[in-house]
């Protein structure tokens, strides 16, 4: 998958959890959890949505690598086998 | 109109999801009601057939007003008996609805009028379910527009955000009289909390627990689980409170009519903040009897639905003790205000790395503050302290939760 395709999945996952959020408006290198008021329960739901969509298994110890849009896209692109 | 908490006095029917002649069973969602806490799905507490709908969509009625007549189709019942849709919001604290033998509504409030005295609006039964996206519904609330006033142009006539904006623009003069949703929610919270601070003699106790081993257990547990089955500390906290509440019934109770009414079920309510502002406190039924995986699934579901306006009436009215956790925001401690008529609220701060003395040595440990706000009419600080100790004990044995 291209980075753009992965980014679209990430945005979709965030919007699924926070329908009123506009992840596109968040600078790509800042913690989107703070920008969009995503708590730990929401974040787990984002990770779950990405997992269900792409089959990427993200261990808990790697969560911190996905706190920014760029970080999430890089991580998923590197680990996605589809 | 069910009461969905101490802070609710009235609700507006958004849509009926059933029509006369439809068979319903206990637990079915039959209507959507707009309250100060957002749109709530109302469940039916009887099995039978809808005989009549008494309230039209768009109408605001006080709590206790009969909304529909249900013909209870039970072999044991004497013929046909109407029962108004008024769930037992406080199962053990209020008298059981009258048996389905009298031609009278078993409304939650004694003062509720006979359904037969209400005008039945012609055509109310044909009221279709309003098709509107959660985002458009939210916008409608923000703009003070009634969804029923919007003309839907989306797929299947669904109301879109654009339709809401158009309706708002078409009736600019109606806006000043409509109080926006945020203000309504702040008022509702203000009323409930003012009542709490006025009526409940609060006392507070606090405790600090070393969570290091518990969190290590949790990490190891999650390591072996696929993403959808992983647990968050919130599940452990709710379960630990539920188990401790078994040992301290005065913390899992209601204080009503000048007396302590114990509640058999332990339904831990979770304070959930909403991004638009305000909070709701849905409860997880029988939390003490659920496995950690079930508690986690339940909490995830409640949070997701709370933020999408999809909570059910029984969830908002059923709490017996409340948990508030500000752990995500780096808050060290939180001292809550009891949600009446409950008698206790447990507050969890943020787990944080601090110097801690273990076996005579100062070590970096992850510790967390736990607080209790409790009703002095129901218990004393001594019992409150023991209750917190019990929560800490259960947290220290996560494999038994």
């Amino acid at each position: 998958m291209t980075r753009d395709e992965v980014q679209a999945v990430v945005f979709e996952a965030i919007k699924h959890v926070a329908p009123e959020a506009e992840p596109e408006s968040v600078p790509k290198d800042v913690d989107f959890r703070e920008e969009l008021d995503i708590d730990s329960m929401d974040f787990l739901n984002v990770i779950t949505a990405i997992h269900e969509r792409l089959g990427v298994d993200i261990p808990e110890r790697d969560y911190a690598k996905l706190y920014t849009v760029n970080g999430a896209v890089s991580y998923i692109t590197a680990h996605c086998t589809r | 109109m069910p009461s969905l908490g101490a802070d609710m006095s009235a609700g507006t029917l958004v849509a009926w999801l059933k029509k006369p002649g439809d068979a319903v069973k206990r637990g079915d969602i039959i209507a959507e009601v707009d309250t100060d806490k957002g749109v709530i799905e109302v469940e039916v507490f009887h099995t039978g057939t809808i005989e009549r709908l008494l309230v039209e969509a768009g109408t605001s009625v006080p709590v206790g007003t009969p909304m529909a007549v249900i013909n209870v189709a039970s072999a044991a019942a004497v013929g046909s008996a109407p029962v108004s849709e008024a769930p037992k919001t406080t199962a053990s604290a209020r008298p059981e609805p009258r048996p389905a033998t009298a031609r009278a509504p078993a409304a939650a409030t004694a003062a509720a009028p006979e359904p037969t005295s209400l005008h039945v609006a012609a055509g109310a039964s044909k009221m279709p379910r309003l098709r509107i996206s959660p985002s458009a519904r939210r916008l409608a609330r923000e703009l003070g527009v009634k969804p029923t006033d919007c003309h839907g142009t989306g797929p299947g006539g669904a109301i879109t955000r654009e339709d809401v904006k158009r309706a708002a623009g078409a009736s600019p003069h109606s806006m000043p009289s409509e109080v926006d949703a945020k203000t309504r929610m702040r008022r509702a919270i203000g009323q409930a909390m003012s009542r709490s601070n006025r009526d409940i003699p609060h006392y507070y106790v606090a405790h600090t627990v070393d969570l290091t081993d518990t969190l290590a257990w949790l990490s190891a547990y999650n390591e072996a689980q696929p993403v959808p089955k992983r647990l968050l500390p919130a599940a452990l906290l709710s379960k630990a409170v539920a188990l401790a509440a078994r040992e301290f019934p005065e913390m899992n109770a209601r204080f009503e009519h000048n007396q302590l009414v114990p509640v058999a079920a332990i339904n831990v309510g979770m304070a959930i903040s909403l991004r638009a502002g305000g909070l709701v406190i849905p409860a997880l039924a029988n939390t003490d009897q659920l496995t950690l995986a079930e508690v986690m699934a339940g909490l995830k579901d409640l949070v997701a639905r709370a933020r999408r306006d999809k909570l059910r009436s029984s969830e908002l009215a059923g709490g017996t003790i409340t948990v508030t956790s500000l752990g995500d925001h780096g808050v060290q401690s939180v001292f809550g205000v009891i949600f009446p008529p409950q008698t206790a609220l447990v507050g969890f701060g943020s787990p944080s790395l601090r110097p801690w003395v273990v076996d005579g040595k100062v070590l970096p440990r992850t510790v967390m503050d736990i607080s209790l706000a409790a009703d002095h009419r129901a218990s004393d600080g001594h019992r409150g302290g023991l209750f917190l100790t019990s929560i800490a004990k259960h947290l220290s044995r996560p494999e038994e939760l």
Side-chain angles (χ1 to χ4, degrees):
Chain A
M1 285 183 93
T2 66
R3 285 186 65 92
D4 282 352
E5 286 167 337
V6 170
Q7 181 173 294
V9 172
V10 171
F11 285 175
E12 197 183 304
I14 293 172
K15 283 181 173 171
H16 175 71
V17 170
E20 66 283 359
E22 290 175 359
E24 303 87 351
S25 67
V26 178
K28 301 220 172 358
D29 285 313
V30 306
D31 191 331
F32 67 79
R33 299 173 308 154
E34 286 170 21
E35 295 292 315
L36 302 174
D37 199 6
I38 300 283
D39 66 14
S40 54
M41 192 75 78
D42 293 327
F43 185 74
L44 182 60
N45 282 331
V46 170
I47 298 282
T48 305
I50 292 170
H51 169 79
E52 280 166 5
R53 177 84 166 68
L54 300 177
V56 185
D57 195 45
I58 305 163
E60 211 172 40
R61 60 178 176 277
D62 287 345
Y63 282 3
K65 295 175 184 167
L66 288 92
Y67 289 163
T68 67
V69 172
N70 271 347
V73 171
S74 298
Y75 185 93
I76 296 161
T77 310
H79 290 81
C80 185
T81 51
R82 289 185 195 173
Chain B
M1 177 61 64
S3 167
L4 307 173
D7 45 1
M8 175 171 164
S9 57
T12 304
L13 179 69
V14 174
W16 283 112
L17 307 184
K18 301 281 181 189
K19 57 183 189 306
D22 282 359
V24 292
K25 62 177 192 303
R26 188 184 161 86
D28 280 357
I29 294 158
I30 63 162
E32 290 180 347
V33 167
D34 195 7
T35 72
D36 292 339
K37 294 293 182 77
V39 177
I40 304 304
E41 296 182 333
V42 175
E43 296 153 277
V44 67
F45 277 64
H46 302 279
T47 297
T49 309
I50 304 253
E51 198 169 284
R52 276 182 296 148
L53 302 175
L54 305 173
V55 176
E56 255 188 295
T59 314
S60 178
V61 293
V63 165
T65 306
M67 294 175 68
V69 177
I70 295 169
N71 191 342
V72 180
S74 160
V78 181
S80 139
V83 182
S84 75
E85 163 45 32
K88 292 176 284 171
T89 55
T90 56
S92 53
R94 290 205 176 129
E96 289 284 312
R98 270 175 275 170
T101 49
R103 280 201 76 84
T109 53
E114 287 272 334
T116 45
S117 68
L118 285 183
H119 172 66
V120 182
S125 61
K126 294 189 181 70
M127 197 63 69
R129 177 173 188 174
L130 209 56
R131 294 172 67 93
I132 179 167
S133 70
S135 141
R137 192 188 294 284
R138 203 178 304 274
L139 181 68
R141 276 217 308 278
E142 281 167 17
L143 297 177
V145 176
K146 280 186 191 163
T148 44
D149 291 345
C150 300
H151 175 65
T153 62
I159 296 166
T160 64
R161 288 175 65 90
E162 288 309 309
D163 298 333
V164 172
K165 283 180 197 163
R166 216 168 10 251
S171 56
H173 302 297
S174 68
M175 285 188 63
S177 63
E178 295 271 1
V179 180
D180 69 60
K182 219 179 268 187
T183 308
R184 280 168 55 201
M185 177 166 292
R186 286 258 61 91
R187 279 187 192 162
I189 293 169
Q191 279 166 10
M193 296 299 96
S194 298
R195 178 184 149 193
S196 177
N197 268 338
R198 187 187 64 228
D199 295 346
I200 303 178
H202 285 64
Y203 71 85
Y204 306 92
V205 287
H207 197 67
T208 304
V209 294
D210 183 346
L211 268 193
T212 312
D213 296 341
T214 303
L215 292 178
W217 177 89
L218 185 62
S219 292
Y221 176 95
N222 283 342
E223 191 71 28
Q225 301 292 330
V227 179
K229 302 227 159 152
R230 283 180 204 156
L231 304 177
L232 286 175
L236 278 62
L237 303 180
S238 289
K239 183 74 189 286
V241 168
L243 292 180
R246 268 188 194 164
E247 302 155 31
F248 295 81
E250 68 270 46
M251 306 292 172
N252 187 79
R254 288 172 174 262
F255 200 95
E256 284 176 324
H257 311 300
N258 267 326
Q259 59 178 344
L260 184 67
V261 183
V263 182
I266 297 175
N267 308 332
V268 176
M270 188 195 194
I272 298 173
S273 67
L274 303 177
R275 282 187 200 84
L279 61 95
V280 288
I281 310 180
L284 204 53
N286 305 310
T287 314
D288 60 320
Q289 294 168 30
L290 304 177
T291 64
L292 273 184
E294 288 167 342
V295 172
M296 183 63 206
L299 292 179
K300 259 165 107 170
D301 177 49
L302 284 182
V303 170
R305 284 191 291 111
R307 290 178 175 163
R308 285 167 171 270
D309 273 350
K310 284 286 174 196
L311 288 173
R312 297 183 197 125
S313 46
S314 60
E315 293 163 342
L316 276 179
T320 57
I321 182 169
T322 297
V323 165
T324 184
S325 177
L326 292 179
D328 275 356
H329 307 286
V331 165
Q332 185 174 321
S333 312
V334 49
F335 294 93
V337 183
I338 297 167
F339 187 38
Q342 296 173 18
T343 58
L345 180 145
V346 179
F348 292 107
S350 180
S352 59
L353 206 56
R354 287 185 232 166
W356 202 248
V357 178
V358 181
D359 294 333
K361 291 194 186 96
V362 180
L363 297 172
R365 304 286 285 181
T366 303
V367 301
M368 178 181 67
D369 286 1
I370 312 179
S371 76
L372 170 74
D375 187 334
H376 228 318
R377 298 170 299 181
S379 64
D380 301 313
H382 173 69
R383 290 286 288 172
L386 291 175
F387 179 55
L388 282 189
T389 307
S390 172
I391 295 173
K393 177 194 76 187
H394 286 293
L395 278 178
S396 70
R397 300 175 193 158
E399 64 285 352
E400 293 172 16
L401 283 175

